[in-house]
Amino acid sequence: MTGEVTVTGFGVRTAFGTGADALRRGVFAGVPSFAPTTRFDTGPYRTPMAGAAPDGPDAVEGWALRHALARCGTKALDMAGLPRGTEAAVLLGIAGDCTSITRHWRDAARPGAGSDGPDGSEGLVDPLRARLADAVPALLAESLAGELGLTGPRLTFTNACVASAAAIIHGCRLISSGRIDAAVCAGGYLVEEETFGKFDSGRALSRDGMVRPFSADRTGLLLGDGVAAVVLESAEHARRRGARPLAGVVGWGAATDAHHIAQPHPEGVGLALAARQALRLAGDPDGADLGYVNAHGTGTKYNDGAETRGLRAALPKRAESVPVSSTKSTTGHLLEAAGVVEFVITMLALTDGIIPPTAGFTAPDPECDLDYVPNEPRPADLRRALTINAAFGGANTALVLERP
């Protein structure tokens, strides 16, 4: 690694609200955000529950995803003190805004839809273009770069639940190799019916309206709102500007075990590979300096045991002594945004000296036998922390953060 990578700004939005204090009131206090969502009719589904922002003037519901990304990106740039016109990469992890797809096909199915033109098509074309623009991931990256006034390269990652973590890793690689000085890495997902229905049909959603990662009685995940952006810079670039470093990114890793299209490898092989890569790059292959692991922790039958075994493989000497927690127990699963939002949460754990708990933890599962920080936040003097994510297809990412 030829150049150090530092974080100089962030913007974040979850169901708890905007900014770090909202995360402290919700995630760090161990308060789940789950409630019946009113964004769409949940009658056909097994549960109405999600970690979605409530109705009201400060709700996410009025935001298109592109607006949410722009607001979080603007917050991140303002915190970092980077002006418009800066040559910085825009790296986005996202699957597009599926709300526009659902709305388009519902409108098209209504009687009289698309009948304005002489051949019945003209009335459909313009709404189609307008609505589907937000559903194209690459266009959202272009939109974000334009809104932020950044002139550098831009790239979109669509690899599911590691997408925004992959964007951060790519930004770190570009900066550490000297190819760029700065990057805005972002990701977003807002609860909508298209994806909600898919997870419901796959029977992945929690049956009792709670997410209990690593507990014996866990019944599944719930989806949640998440949008975040972070500013990464080379340490030298930040020093020249007089910017205050919030954290260093000292290690990163990515691996794909390709075990199954939806299930993780039962031994957590890919996760262990990614974590070992990140720790080696951080100069700490045994994880001796780690004080906390922010787990992927979906609360599903397959993930939690596999993740536990993967952490044991990655940290054979330390796994039992390093606190591990899943913040999806409060936010829900943020899909493509999980990596970047949990990156921000992990950074706050370092700077605040507080480990966020695994909320809703009840009876321990014999297959999940690590220290999961159950239900209550834990003070800790943290120097370094690891945040890990996994996705369909066997994709895994790991990032090591260090307190400045």
Side-chain angles (χ1 to χ4, degrees), residues 277-298:
Q277 286 177 30
L279 291 168
R280 282 197 301 268
L281 189 61
D284 184 23
D286 295 327
D289 294 329
L290 277 186
Y292 169 56
V293 176
N294 184 287
H296 190 58
T298 60

Side-chain angles (χ1 to χ4, degrees), residues 98-115:
C98 291
T99 303
S100 60
I101 297 173
T102 304
R103 186 182 303 123
H104 165 69
W105 289 116
R106 282 198 169 149
D107 289 351
R110 290 175 183 156
S115 60

